[in-house]
Amino acid sequence: MHKVSSLSSLGISDDISSAFFRPILATPSPRSSRPHHKRIKISIIGAGNVGMAIAQTILTQDLADEIALVDALPDKLRGEMLDLQHAAAFLPRTQIVSGTDYAVTAGSDLAIITAGARQIPGETRLDLLHRNVALFRKIVPPLAEKSPEALLLVVSNPVDLLTYVAWKLSGFPPNRVIGSGTNLDSSRFRFLLADHLQVNAKDVQAYMVGEHGDSSVALWSSISLGGVPVLSSLRDNDIPFEQAVLEDIRKAVVGSAYEVIRLKGYTSWAIGYSVANLAWSLLRDQRLIHPVSLLAKGFHGIPADQEVFLSLPAQLGRNGVLGVAKVQLTKEEAKRLQQSAETLWGLQKQLDL
Ligand code: NAD
């Protein structure tokens, strides 16, 4: 385990606080007493672009008392840990540790998995999936063993399939295994709508649901701006809109991820904020509604025997998924969800889990 270099190795005693601080009573030092609140520990597996963007957002938002980083590359990992530790003077106090061994993650409240193999040119989606399943076999069992009470949050792609894999490999109940899913797609959707309407994205309520990525479904009928339903207001004011225009906006949401990857090689900041926002809702029991990937069998016509993870707006709190919002889907939206479920189930059946 990498920790911050100990001063005792330089001949300076670790117990030097008495040189600077005096206890108010002649009792055992309060510095060694129980902390006044339960320490929150978050582990991040994969110290790449996404993992580090998540770590830095969590740090700046003061969400954890301890962050544990795990990666397969020890030098890169130690470098990332030291770089973050060196910002200590400007950040809320957070212990940052790292290691290639899962011992470093023990007792986590939340474990975020961002490690993933990248697609090699010519490789099929199924081949990539098999490689990522092999990776998850190394990651999930030790993670679950070291933190049996943790919430698991999967970010690695294909996120819906890998959330299923993490659920199977961890043996955790489904409320404690969540995929970041369309939380980011929904944020991109809200940004594009807000930009177009010249309003604050926080005032736009809009969800993308279903599969993260190309076949995600935009829930047009439930979009509202400051509580005003957007589509029916356009209709009432005789402002024309075509189904094709709506589909173009949905495609722009999906395309925006590809555009960022084409321009800078990867995406990081938005997913960092999106995941930190999920961590906040979960660990601070905020009970906010987020579209996240969850065990979706039985919802909106998805057959009860299809154990697939797809995004639906869900209430998140300290116990993970507290409930799935009873959103109304049109027949077409439900059909697209069912088609995604069918595709995912077909792929999952080819995995030996
Ligand atoms: P990256 O290549 O920069 O980082 C991946 C990291 O995982 C590397 O540091 C690598 O060393 C590490 N790793 C590989 N095998 C490991 C193992 N067995 N144990 C521990 N660590 C291991 O990639 P990135 O840009 O950070 O993306 C990470 C993942 O996040 C990808 O799958 C990407 O598609 C996904 N992603 C998801 C979303 C979303 O909305 N769900 C958004 C962006 C990226």
Side-chain angles (χ1 to χ4, degrees), residues 45-52 70-73 76 102 113-118 132 135 138-139 154-159 162 180-181 184-185 188 212 265-268 271 274:
I45 317 306
N49 301 305
V50 171
M52 294 316 295
V70 176
D71 199 284
L73 304 174
K76 175 180 163 51
Y102 283 83
I113 307 179
T114 75
R118 287 190 180 185
N132 273 328
L135 208 77
K138 289 190 216 155
I139 294 172
V154 178
V155 182
S156 317
N157 275 320
V159 68
L162 290 177
S180 64
L184 175 58
D185 314 51
R188 289 180 175 134
H212 167 63
Y266 54 87
T267 65
S268 58
I271 184 67
S274 153

Side-chain angles (χ1 to χ4, degrees), residues 137-160:
R137 282 189 193 283
K138 289 190 216 155
I139 294 172
V140 178
L143 199 55
E145 192 211 315
K146 298 289 177 201
S147 303
E149 301 302 324
L151 300 167
L152 275 188
L153 179 51
V154 178
V155 182
S156 317
N157 275 320
V159 68
D160 301 298

Side-chain angles (χ1 to χ4, degrees), residues 153-318:
L153 179 51
V154 178
V155 182
S156 317
N157 275 320
V159 68
D160 301 298
L161 285 161
L162 290 177
T163 308
Y164 165 80
V165 172
W167 174 55
K168 280 285 174 191
L169 293 175
S170 66
F172 283 7
N175 60 301
R176 285 204 278 128
V177 186
I178 302 160
S180 64
T182 56
N183 197 48
L184 175 58
D185 314 51
S186 300
S187 162
R188 289 180 175 134
F189 193 27
R190 291 167 72 186
F191 159 72
L192 287 176
L193 290 168
D195 198 44
H196 185 67
L197 300 170
Q198 299 188 5
V199 297
N200 190 318
K202 286 188 177 171
D203 278 338
V204 178
Q205 258 217 326
Y207 295 116
M208 304 280 293
V209 300
E211 206 179 340
H212 167 63
D214 298 357
S215 52
S216 54
V217 178
L219 295 189
W220 289 107
S221 47
S222 63
I223 296 177
S224 67
L225 167 60
V228 180
V230 169
L231 283 201
S232 55
S233 295
L234 289 174
R235 214 175 278 127
D236 292 349
N237 287 283
D238 289 330
I239 300 172
F241 64 90
E242 309 282 336
Q243 194 57 39
V245 174
L246 303 185
E247 184 52 20
D248 281 350
I249 297 176
R250 191 198 71 83
K251 282 189 183 148
V253 174
V254 173
S256 56
Y258 290 109
E259 190 181 8
V260 177
I261 291 171
R262 181 176 60 79
L263 293 167
K264 66 173 248 190
Y266 54 87
T267 65
S268 58
W269 303 125
I271 184 67
Y273 276 97
S274 153
V275 171
N277 192 233
L278 294 177
W280 181 68
S281 285
L282 292 164
L283 297 174
R284 299 270 170 89
D285 201 30
Q286 290 300 301
R287 297 174 183 237
L288 280 165
I289 312 271
H290 296 268
V292 287
S293 197
L294 47 83
L295 186 59
K297 64 174 183 174
F299 288 103
H300 303 291
I302 296 172
D305 63 343
Q306 291 186 358
E307 294 191 318
V308 293
F309 280 67
L310 284 170
S311 287
L312 291 170
Q315 193 187 39
L316 300 187
R318 189 60 191 82

Side-chain angles (χ1 to χ4, degrees), residues 78-114:
R78 183 164 167 75
E80 291 289 8
M81 179 198 71
L82 290 172
D83 206 6
L84 283 183
Q85 284 176 342
H86 296 168
F90 316 109
L91 287 170
R93 184 167 165 267
T94 305
Q95 188 184 8
I96 305 167
V97 296
S98 71
T100 51
D101 190 303
Y102 283 83
V104 82
T105 65
S108 295
D109 298 282
L110 172 66
I112 303 169
I113 307 179
T114 75

